[in-house]
Amino acid sequence: MSSSQSREPITIEDGFKLIDAAVTKLTRIIEGKPEPPFLPEEYIGNYTIVYNMCIQKPPHDSSGPLYEKYGAILQAYDKLTILPSIMEKHDEYMLREVSRWWEINKIMVRWLSHFFYYLDRYYIARNGIPSLTVVGMTCFRDHVYEKVHFNVKQVVIALIHKEREGQQIDRALLKNVLDLFVQNGMGNMERYEKDFEDFFLTETNSYYSRKASSWIQEDSCPEYMIKAEESLKKEKERVSHYLHSDTEPKLVANVQTNLLVLVAKQLLEKENSGCSALLRDDKTDDLSRMYRLYHAIPQGLEPVAVAFRLHVTAEGNSLIKQAEDAATSGIVEEQVLVRKIIDLHDKYMAYVTDCFQNHTLFHKSLKEAFEIFCNKKVAGSSSAEMLATFCDNVFKKAANDKSNDDSTIESTIDNVVKLLDYISDKDLFAEFYRKKLARRLLFGKFSDDHERSILTKLKGQFGGQFTSKMEGMVTDMQLGKDQQTGFEEYLKNANTGKPKGVDFTVTVLTTGFWPSYKTSDLNLPLEMVNCIESFKAYYEIKTKHRRLMWIYSLGNCNLTARFDAKPIELIVSTYQAAVLCAFNHTERLTYQELIDQLNLSHEDLVRVLHSLSCAKYKFLKKEPASKTISKTDSFEFNSKFTDKMRRIKVPLPPVDDRKKVVEDVDKDRRYAIDASLVRIMKSRKVLPHQQLVSECVEQLSRMFKPDIKMIKKRIEDLITRDYLERDTENPNTFKYVA
C-alpha cells in the first residue's frame, strides 16, 4: 500500500483491496506467523488510505462503506478463524485457546482501530453510532463468546473444584479467562454474573453443603472450625487471584451459611467438644476462633451467646445446688458460696473480655445467666441476705486481722458490687446490710476506710438514696468519738465528778439512719443509773432540741465477778449485767422476782437467764436443773464457778431478725410503689391500667422486682385515699385527682 496520495478519487474496490492486504499482513503478525513488522511508512500509509477515502467529495465519500468494512473484517476473523480454533479444543486446552484468541482479538481491534481512526473522529461522532472498539467487542461477543461461554464456564468450575480438593491449577489462566466474562459485559457485570458467577455460587453451595455434612459427623468442634476458617481463607485467596472482587461478599456469605450458620446448633452443642466443653476446658484459642468465625456473620454470634449463657447458668445452678446440699440445719455456708460465685464471675468475665472481644452480646448473656442463679434461695436464705452476711464476715475479719491486704479487700468490695447488680432485691440487701453494719459499728468491729469504700462504690452504682442512711450511721460513729471526748472533759470539770468505779461510754445514734430497735424500761442497777443521769446532764447542755431514748438491748458491760476461786472479768450485754447485779444484794431470786425487779419482757429474760445458767458458763445455779427456763424456776449465784480464763465473753442466744427485716422491706416497698404510682399519674394525668403497671415496674426494677398483685392493691388503696380515680366510661383507665 503506497503512502503517496493520488489526486484521483479512490474507488471502493481499490481501497478495499489495499485494506485487505494490510489486514492479511496484520493477522499473520499477531498470530505469530513469519511476517516482517509494519514499517512506519506502511502504518501511516494504511491510515492515509482510509483518511483519503473519507474526505473525498460526494459521491466518492466512502465513510459508510468503510465503517461496514471494519465490522465485516472482524466478523469474518471471529467466525472463520477464532471460533473454529477454540471449538476443536477441550478442557484446560480449550481455556488456553480462549485466553490466547481473546488476547489476539484485543490486539486485532486495537490495530484496526488505528487504521480506521479517522472514522472514530468524525463519521462515528457525527452519526452517533458505536465506536470502533465497541464494534470490535460486540463482534467477538456475538460470534465467539456466545458460542463458547457455557463450555468455558464448565471447565473453569471444574478446575476450581480441583483446586478446592488440593490440586495445583493455573491461576493466571483462570484470571485471563474470567476477564473474558467481565469484558464482554461491555461496561456492566451482567455477563459475568449470569454466565459464570450464578453457576459458580450454586456449585460452591453444593460443595460446602457436602463438606459440612461430612465434617460435622467426623470432626470435633475445634477441628471443624479450623477447617471452616481455612476454607474461608482459601476462598478469599481465590478472589484475590482470579475471581472478580464483586464475587467476594457473595462467596464468603455462601461458605459461611453452609459451614457455620446451618450447622450452628449441631456444632455448638457437640458432645465433649462443643461450646460448653470448650468453656469447661478453658480452650481460649478455640473460643476466640469461634468468635472470629461467627462475628463475621450478621446475627451469627447470637447462637454462640445463647450457648455461653446456658453454660454459665448451668455452672451457677450447680454451685447453688452444692450449697443447698451442704447446708446443715438450714445454715448456709455463704462465705464459700459467694466466693465461688465471685470466682465463677471472674472466670467467665475473662472469656467475655479476651475470647469474645468485650462484645455487648456476651456481656448481656453473662448478666442474664447470673441474674438467674443469683436470685435463687439457698435453704430459705435469699441471695440478698447471703451477700450481706458475706460482707459482714469479710469486714469483721478485716477489722480483727490488721495484716489483711487492703487491695484484696478492695477487690472483694468491687466483686460484691458487681454481684449485687445481678440481684433483683437490692432493697432487701440494703436492709440486711444496714442491720449488720449497725452491729459492726456498735461493737467496734469495723474499719472506717473499708466501710466508706464500699458505700462510695454502692453509691456510684445505685445512687445516693441507696446509701444515705448507711453513710449517716458511719458519720454518727465519728461524731460519737468527739462526743465521748467532750463527755469525759465535762465529767472532769463537773462538780458531780465521774461515777465511782465505772467507765461509761455512750454512742448517740440518729434515729432516721439506724434500724429500729426494741426499747424497754429496764430497771438498771444504781451505778448505771448514775452514769445515765450524768450523760443526760451533759447532753442537755450541748443541745436543747433533741430527746434521748436509751436502747439497752445494744449495750454491753465489763463486770468483775468475785467467785470463791478467783475474780473473773465477764463481758456481757446490759441485760445480762442487770440480771447478774441483781444478785449483789441477795443469794437467791425466783424468776418472778427477777421480772418484777428488772421490768424485762418474758422473752428477753428467758434469753438472758438461759445464757447465764444453761449454756457453757453456769454463773447462776438453776432449780430445777433443766435446759429450759420456766416461770417457776429459782436462781442463785454460783460462787463455786471457776475457769482457766481470767476474761470470759458471755454470748446471748442470737435472735433471728430475718422475718422483721423482710417485713420492714415489704412496708418500705408499699411506700415506694405508692410514690411511683402517684409520680407517674401526676405527670401523665390519664393512663390505662396495663401501661401504669408496666411504667411502675420499670421505675422500681432498679431496686426491687415489684409484685404485680401488690401494685394492683396499691392502686386500689390510692383510689380509696382519693389520689386516683377510675374513668367512668372505661374502668380500666385511671385519672389523677389533682
Side-chain angles (χ1 to χ4, degrees):
M1 191 183 291
S2 170
S3 62
S4 60
Q5 187 175 339
S6 170
R7 294 184 183 276
E8 288 295 316
I10 304 171
T11 64
I12 289 174
E13 291 77 15
D14 292 343
F16 281 10
K17 276 180 192 173
L18 294 170
I19 290 169
D20 286 341
V23 168
T24 303
K25 177 166 181 162
L26 173 61
T27 55
R28 287 181 64 80
I29 291 169
I30 61 179
E31 287 173 23
K33 293 174 181 174
E35 185 73 39
F38 284 108
L39 297 171
E41 54 269 25
E42 285 181 289
Y43 178 82
I44 293 166
N46 293 331
Y47 170 80
T48 307
I49 290 292
V50 175
Y51 171 78
N52 286 337
M53 290 177 76
C54 289
I55 63 168
Q56 294 175 147
K57 297 273 191 276
H60 302 294
D61 176 5
S62 304
S63 297
L66 280 169
Y67 182 73
E68 288 172 12
K69 174 66 173 173
Y70 172 84
I73 292 166
L74 288 172
Q75 184 174 322
Y77 191 67
D78 289 342
K79 287 172 78 172
L80 303 174
T81 305
I82 295 178
L83 184 61
S85 182
I86 292 172
M87 295 302 277
E88 65 186 24
K89 298 285 196 301
H90 302 285
D91 301 330
E92 195 172 337
Y93 299 105
M94 180 185 73
L95 293 193
R96 294 193 185 285
E97 202 68 5
V98 167
S99 177
R100 185 171 81 86
W101 283 110
W102 173 233
E103 290 305 316
I104 288 172
N105 178 71
K106 286 193 279 187
I107 297 167
M108 179 81 168
V109 171
R110 192 164 64 246
W111 273 85
L112 275 184
S113 297
H114 289 158
F115 293 166
F116 287 81
Y117 180 61
Y118 195 75
L119 287 175
D120 254 345
R121 284 182 65 192
Y122 294 102
Y123 177 75
I124 288 170
R126 285 190 194 126
N127 290 282
I129 53 180
S131 69
L132 298 178
T133 305
V134 170
V135 170
M137 293 293 292
T138 306
C139 273
F140 187 87
R141 183 192 68 198
D142 294 346
H143 303 296
V144 179
Y145 173 82
E146 290 293 355
K147 307 289 189 295
V148 302
H149 74 76
F150 182 82
N151 291 343
V152 169
K153 172 258 299 178
Q154 298 284 73
V155 176
V156 170
I157 289 175
L159 285 174
I160 293 172
H161 180 79
K162 275 186 181 180
E163 189 184 40
R164 282 173 173 160
E165 289 298 310
Q167 295 182 41
Q168 291 286 323
I169 63 165
D170 187 343
R171 287 176 161 182
L173 172 64
L174 257 59
K175 184 168 180 59
N176 288 339
V177 170
L178 289 172
D179 184 53
L180 177 76
F181 288 89
V182 176
Q183 296 286 339
N184 278 279
M186 308 285 284
N188 66 58
M189 296 296 293
E190 190 178 346
R191 295 280 170 175
Y192 175 82
E193 289 168 358
K194 284 189 176 175
D195 296 342
F196 168 73
E197 189 182 70
D198 289 352
F199 294 96
F200 168 66
L201 292 175
T202 302
E203 168 55 30
T204 300
N205 193 66
S206 302
Y207 179 81
Y208 282 110
S209 177
R210 291 193 302 274
K211 288 293 176 191
S213 301
S214 163
W215 293 346
I216 202 75
Q217 298 299 326
E218 299 163 6
D219 299 324
S220 67
C221 177
E223 289 165 344
Y224 185 98
M225 289 193 298
I226 289 167
K227 286 182 178 179
E229 191 169 48
E230 187 62 24
S231 296
L232 281 163
K233 182 183 160 197
K234 285 183 174 173
E235 293 303 328
K236 287 176 184 175
E237 282 175 7
R238 282 185 187 99
V239 175
S240 66
H241 283 108
Y242 51 79
L243 296 168
H244 192 274
S245 57
D246 285 3
T247 304
E248 182 166 348
K250 303 171 199 172
L251 177 59
V252 167
N254 191 312
V255 179
Q256 286 171 334
T257 301
N258 282 290
L259 291 188
L260 297 168
V261 177
L262 297 177
V263 297
K265 186 174 169 59
Q266 273 176 283
L267 183 64
L268 299 175
E269 293 176 4
K270 257 188 174 286
E271 199 175 349
N272 302 322
S273 72
C275 187
S276 187
L278 298 179
L279 289 163
R280 182 195 66 210
D281 300 335
D282 197 26
K283 301 289 186 184
T284 51
D285 288 348
D286 293 319
L287 288 165
S288 297
R289 181 175 290 108
M290 185 178 282
Y291 174 81
R292 280 199 306 276
L293 288 170
Y294 281 97
H295 181 247
I297 303 168
Q299 285 88 49
L301 286 175
E302 287 176 10
V304 184
V306 168
F308 177 68
R309 174 171 56 78
L310 292 173
H311 176 79
V312 177
T313 305
E315 291 277 291
N317 285 337
S318 170
L319 291 183
I320 300 296
K321 188 174 186 313
Q322 285 171 27
E324 186 86 46
D325 295 343
T328 51
S329 312
I331 298 167
V332 182
E333 294 178 347
E334 62 279 314
Q335 291 302 106
V336 177
L337 175 60
V338 175
R339 283 279 176 211
K340 282 182 177 177
I341 291 175
I342 287 172
D343 291 344
L344 191 75
H345 190 268
D346 287 346
K347 177 184 176 183
Y348 288 108
M349 184 55 83
Y351 286 123
V352 172
T353 310
D354 300 334
C355 300
F356 304 134
Q357 303 291 303
N358 256 328
H359 196 284
T360 51
L361 208 53
F362 291 91
H363 277 288
K364 183 169 174 273
S365 291
L366 188 70
K367 186 173 188 289
E368 287 170 355
F370 271 76
E371 281 173 348
I372 291 167
F373 60 80
C374 280
N375 285 296
K376 290 189 172 180
K377 287 191 172 185
V378 178
S381 295
S382 68
S383 50
E385 182 187 357
M386 287 187 286
L387 194 58
T389 307
F390 173 80
C391 293
D392 187 48
N393 288 331
V394 167
F395 289 142
K396 282 196 292 196
K397 191 177 173 188
N400 289 336
D401 183 3
K402 301 298 180 188
S403 66
N404 262 316
D405 182 9
D406 278 355
S407 63
T408 308
I409 303 292
E410 284 300 310
S411 170
T412 304
I413 290 171
D414 288 338
N415 284 317
V416 164
V417 175
K418 278 181 207 163
L419 289 190
L420 182 57
D421 205 25
Y422 302 128
I423 292 172
S424 53
D425 295 332
K426 294 176 182 65
D427 56 344
L428 192 59
F429 166 85
E431 194 57 28
F432 275 118
Y433 186 89
R434 197 162 67 102
K435 281 265 186 189
K436 292 173 189 301
L437 172 63
R439 292 190 68 79
R440 289 200 299 279
L441 296 176
L442 294 173
F443 294 111
K445 293 181 177 179
F446 72 99
S447 154
D448 195 63
D449 290 344
H450 295 152
E451 298 293 355
R452 288 188 185 278
S453 173
I454 191 169
L455 291 180
T456 302
K457 285 169 182 174
L458 289 170
K459 186 177 183 177
Q461 187 74 4
F462 306 111
Q465 196 178 347
F466 190 77
T467 56
S468 58
K469 290 181 179 178
M470 295 179 250
E471 287 174 309
M473 290 161 67
V474 175
T475 303
D476 272 355
M477 297 311 292
Q478 189 57 51
L479 295 173
K481 287 180 187 174
D482 301 337
Q483 207 156 42
Q484 185 62 27
T485 307
F487 177 49
E488 286 170 5
E489 287 294 319
Y490 164 78
L491 289 177
K492 279 182 193 171
N493 301 328
N495 294 332
T496 52
K498 185 178 177 182
K500 214 167 186 182
V502 180
D503 285 327
F504 184 55
T505 305
V506 179
T507 306
V508 179
L509 314 178
T510 309
T511 306
F513 296 150
W514 295 73
S516 55
Y517 295 106
K518 191 167 67 175
T519 56
S520 66
D521 293 328
L522 171 66
N523 292 330
L524 293 168
L526 184 61
E527 299 89 337
M528 293 188 191
V529 172
N530 292 339
C531 291
I532 283 173
E533 292 305 322
S534 299
F535 188 82
K536 275 184 181 174
Y538 160 73
Y539 198 71
E540 280 170 9
I541 296 167
K542 295 291 287 181
T543 175
K544 303 286 183 191
H545 308 293
R546 292 190 176 185
R547 186 170 64 86
L548 288 173
M549 187 168 61
W550 295 86
I551 304 169
Y552 303 124
S553 59
L554 294 176
N556 58 65
C557 290
N558 289 30
L559 299 177
T560 303
R562 303 190 186 282
F563 299 106
D564 292 350
K566 63 176 182 184
I568 297 175
E569 187 182 343
L570 305 180
I571 304 164
V572 291
S573 72
T574 305
Y575 284 180
Q576 288 171 319
V579 169
L580 288 171
C581 287
F583 290 89
N584 274 341
H585 310 294
T586 179
E587 284 290 318
R588 188 180 185 85
L589 286 166
T590 65
Y591 176 90
Q592 196 56 49
E593 285 169 338
L594 281 167
I595 210 163
D596 293 343
Q597 188 176 324
L598 298 172
N599 196 30
L600 269 174
S601 70
H602 169 68
E603 183 188 24
D604 287 330
L605 185 58
V606 166
R607 283 178 69 233
V608 171
L609 288 171
H610 190 278
S611 71
L612 298 174
S613 63
C614 303
K616 182 179 178 182
Y617 305 109
K618 295 178 174 57
F619 307 113
L620 301 178
K621 288 192 282 188
K622 184 175 90 72
E623 285 186 13
S626 63
K627 287 284 182 186
T628 54
I629 306 293
S630 71
K631 292 181 180 181
T632 54
D633 290 347
S634 59
F635 302 87
E636 102 182 50
F637 181 66
N638 181 12
S639 58
K640 303 290 183 204
F641 177 85
T642 187
D643 194 90
K644 61 180 180 181
M645 305 295 288
R646 291 190 171 277
R647 203 163 183 256
I648 297 173
K649 184 174 182 180
V650 185
L652 260 177
V655 178
D656 186 5
D657 54 3
R658 182 189 294 168
K659 190 178 173 187
K660 185 178 183 309
V661 170
V662 172
E663 284 171 1
D664 289 347
V665 168
D666 277 344
K667 191 163 68 177
D668 289 342
R669 284 182 179 181
R670 288 198 291 276
Y671 297 145
I673 292 169
D674 285 356
S676 172
L677 291 168
V678 171
R679 254 196 322 272
I680 292 164
M681 290 305 296
K682 199 171 183 179
S683 102
R684 297 302 199 90
K685 305 301 185 215
V686 179
L687 264 187
H689 174 269
Q690 195 56 47
Q691 200 175 337
L692 177 58
V693 170
S694 63
E695 283 195 28
C696 179
V697 169
E698 191 180 337
Q699 265 194 20
L700 298 172
S701 58
R702 188 157 167 75
M703 279 303 113
F704 64 94
K705 211 171 185 176
D707 179 46
I708 305 298
K709 286 180 184 172
M710 190 190 277
I711 294 175
K712 287 179 180 175
K713 278 184 186 174
R714 299 321 303 155
I715 291 171
E716 295 300 330
D717 188 64
L718 289 171
I719 290 170
T720 59
R721 286 155 56 199
D722 293 332
Y723 282 96
L724 309 179
E725 64 181 13
R726 289 185 190 277
D727 187 84
T728 47
E729 293 178 9
N730 186 356
N732 255 347
T733 300
F734 302 105
K735 292 180 178 177
Y736 176 68
V737 180

